[in-house]
């Protein structure tokens, strides 16, 4: 997942490039970093600022029902398009893994180009079962990536999303190494850390993440974690929920249903 260094964006300095390409407005990032509610008031009072979005009123998380995922890859493709993720096969904010459990006791995990174009058929001989597992940043409530960042560029918003302020990021890769889920990469042009933001630029407009919107089987569910009734709370009530690598105490906020015991 991690990137090697790539050439600079021709003719643009890093600040210009970020202004042109960053989906989450820098003004909003600054407000979120500044702390609320002052930041919210500033956003309300200035028409040039993002609309009055109150992070403190939200508590977002995602659910994934692996039994519904058909490995079509539409989510990974939508993510690349929505967030302008580099097209090279090393850079993903979300990707799909296929697990093939074999009769010989081995489990083969693959994710060709993040599963964007789906998966080749498997030879059924010697196969016990196959299934797909969408992965992304778990928006951990106890995030090691935030803890190791030496300049505070990675931070958690009040609505429960871990973001990277690319104006502050110095590209040291500490967070990439600290993330136990392989969810971060170094952007080949900006040389700053990147990862899933739950499509934060969409959340503040009341939209769901792009991957959730395009999933044809509703394998991905998004919503408010503690709302009395939201698609997510219903999902969590109706399923036995698991998280990835619970022993690491990262407290993921991506919740899986029907997760096979083979998943790592
Ligand atoms: Fe940080 Fe990785 Fe957790 Fe995302 S999954 S919050 S990048 S430690
Ligand atoms: Fe699975 Fe939905 Fe993604 Fe398709 S769009 S791979 S079904 S999560």
């Amino acid at each position: 997942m991690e990137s090697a260094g790539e050439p600079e964006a021709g003719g643009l300095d890093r600040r210009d490039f970020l202004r042109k390409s960053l989906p989450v407005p820098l003004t909003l990032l600054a407000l979120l970093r500044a702390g609320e509610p002052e930041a919210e008031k500033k956003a309300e009072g200035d028409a040039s600022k993002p609309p009055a979005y109150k992070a403190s009123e939200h508590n977002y998380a995602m659910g994934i029902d692996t039994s519904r995922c058909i490995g079509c890859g539409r989510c990974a493709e939508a993510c690349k398009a929505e967030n302008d993720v580099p097209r090279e096969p090393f850079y993903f904010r979300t990707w799909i893994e296929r697990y093939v459990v074999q009769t010989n006791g081995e489990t083969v995990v693959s994710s060709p180009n993040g599963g964007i174009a789906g998966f080749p058929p498997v030879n059924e001989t010697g196969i016990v079962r196959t299934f797909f597992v969408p992965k992304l940043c778990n928006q951990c409530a106890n995030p090691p990536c935030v803890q190791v960042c030496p300049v505070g560029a990675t931070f958690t918003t009040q609505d429960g999303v871990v973001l990277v302020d690319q104006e502050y990021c110095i590209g040291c890769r500490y967070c990439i190494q600290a993330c136990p889920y392989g969810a971060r990469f170094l952007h080949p042009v900006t040389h700053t850390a990147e990862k899933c933001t739950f499509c934060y630029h969409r959340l503040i407009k009341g939209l769901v993440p792009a991957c959730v919107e395009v999933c044809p089987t509703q394998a991905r569910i998004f919503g408010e974690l503690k709302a009395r009734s939201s698609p997510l709370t219903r999902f969590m009530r109706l399923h036995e929920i698991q998280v990835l690598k619970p022993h690491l105490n990262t407290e993921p906020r991506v919740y899986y249903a029907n997760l096979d015991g083979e998943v790592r």
Side-chain angles (χ1 to χ4, degrees):
M1 299 294 299
E2 193 178 329
S3 65
E6 296 286 334
E8 296 278 353
L12 292 178
D13 70 18
R14 198 177 95 177
R15 209 180 175 93
D16 283 342
F17 179 85
L18 288 170
R19 285 225 167 76
K20 288 184 169 74
S21 66
L22 202 65
V24 181
L26 290 173
T27 46
L28 178 61
L29 279 174
L31 292 170
L32 289 165
R33 290 173 55 87
E36 290 156 291
E38 290 79 9
E40 287 168 348
K41 282 192 204 130
K42 276 186 210 156
E44 279 174 59
D46 183 343
S48 69
K49 296 283 193 297
Y53 172 78
K54 293 191 189 309
S56 53
E57 292 180 354
H58 301 279
N59 190 3
Y60 294 121
M62 186 180 288
I64 295 178
D65 186 346
T66 56
S67 70
R68 284 178 168 263
C69 180
I70 55 175
C72 65
R74 285 178 63 178
C75 52
E77 170 56 34
C79 173
K80 284 230 180 192
E82 178 73 28
N83 296 294
D84 205 15
V85 177
R87 284 282 160 184
E88 293 93 328
F90 322 108
Y91 309 113
F92 299 98
R93 289 187 178 199
T94 188
W95 67 99
I96 316 299
E97 293 176 357
R98 179 170 69 184
Y99 284 67
V100 179
V101 184
Q102 302 174 339
T103 45
N104 64 7
E106 276 183 34
T107 299
V108 178
V109 184
S110 64
S111 183
N113 194 18
I116 280 184
F119 291 78
V122 278
N123 182 347
E124 301 283 321
T125 315
I127 303 296
V128 179
R129 62 185 182 280
T130 67
F131 57 90
F132 301 98
V133 183
K135 291 197 173 171
L136 68 160
C137 166
N138 287 274
Q139 311 294 353
C140 307
N142 186 24
C145 57
V146 172
Q147 289 156 24
V148 300
C149 179
V151 293
T154 287
F155 63 102
T156 306
T157 60
Q158 284 195 347
D159 42 7
V161 184
V162 176
L163 295 180
V164 182
D165 187 333
Q166 287 161 324
E167 281 226 315
Y168 282 70
C169 177
I170 55 172
C172 67
R173 297 173 184 248
Y174 286 3
C175 60
I176 294 170
Q177 283 161 13
C179 173
Y181 303 100
R184 289 178 171 243
F185 61 90
L186 201 71
H187 192 287
V189 175
T190 64
H191 303 292
T192 57
E194 264 214 32
K195 64 168 200 69
C196 166
T197 62
F198 273 171
C199 285
Y200 203 80
H201 57 292
R202 291 172 59 93
L203 300 190
I204 60 176
K205 296 179 192 157
L207 303 171
V208 296
C211 60
V212 175
E213 189 169 272
V214 301
C215 177
T217 62
Q218 287 82 52
R220 295 180 183 240
I221 301 100
F222 188 80
E224 301 280 353
L225 194 52
K226 288 180 184 155
R228 274 209 169 164
S229 75
S230 81
L232 185 69
T233 46
R234 268 197 305 282
F235 167 80
M236 295 192 59
R237 249 198 327 268
L238 294 174
H239 294 92
E240 188 182 328
I241 296 299
Q242 286 175 272
V243 295
L244 297 180
K245 303 184 180 178
H247 57 286
L248 296 179
N249 199 30
T250 53
E251 299 175 31
R253 295 164 66 96
V254 173
Y255 300 102
Y256 287 85
N258 298 305
L259 195 64
D260 193 281
E262 292 290 331
V263 177
R264 305 188 269 271

